[in-house]
Amino acid sequence: QVQLVESGGGLVQAGGSLRLSCAASGSIFSINRMGWYRQAPGKQRDLVAVSSSGGTADYADSVKGRFTISRDNAKNTVYLQMDRLKPEDTAVYYCNLREIWDLNNRDYWGQGTQVTVAT
């Protein structure tokens, strides 16, 4: 029922910037966490940044100081501003929505958007 649509990926040179967007649609529980994960070829999917409905944010150590997550609750949209990109940031970036229930959280995923950082 919940769908996530990502956009904003592309090819940039090292040191450049990109802004990813993820719009959620459907019936979304008000207590939730939205965020971004990424997966490079041959590696597992790792957390990049998350933002709770209460405004708390968390980042992977590798992106702290360079990436900023934000959300527009009225539009059910989460953004990831990526600055000072590095080649090691190259990956498929996936939007995630986690509905927070006491005993049964629910995860939803976007299809992913490719981010390629050239040397």
Side-chain angles (χ1 to χ4, degrees):
Q1 186 175 2
V2 174
Q3 293 183 337
L4 304 176
V5 179
E6 301 132 327
S7 62
L11 173 66
V12 296
Q13 293 184 335
S17 298
L18 283 174
R19 188 186 189 225
L20 305 183
S21 299
C22 173
S25 62
S27 181
I28 303 169
F29 187 54
S30 60
I31 304 176
N32 62 74
R33 187 194 79 173
M34 295 189 74
W36 296 90
Y37 292 70
R38 67 186 182 186
Q39 186 170 20
K43 296 186 177 181
Q44 68 179 34
R45 186 176 299 184
D46 293 325
L47 173 72
V48 178
V50 292
S51 178
S52 73
S53 56
T56 302
D58 196 16
Y59 299 88
D61 288 341
S62 60
V63 307
K64 286 181 179 177
R66 299 189 297 119
F67 291 9
T68 303
I69 189 169
S70 61
R71 55 188 296 174
D72 184 339
N73 289 326
K75 296 181 178 180
N76 289 319
T77 300
V78 64
Y79 306 91
L80 185 67
Q81 178 66 43
M82 304 185 294
D83 298 318
R84 296 156 53 202
L85 283 160
K86 303 175 180 179
E88 49 263 46
D89 295 318
T90 295
V92 177
Y93 284 69
Y94 296 91
C95 181
N96 168 260
L97 169 68
R98 175 172 291 178
E99 295 182 332
I100 307 300
W101 302 83
D102 285 345
L103 300 176
N104 190 26
N105 296 338
R106 299 176 183 176
D107 276 303
Y108 302 90
W109 296 91
Q111 290 299 116
T113 184
Q114 177 71 48
V115 171
T116 302
V117 183
T119 58

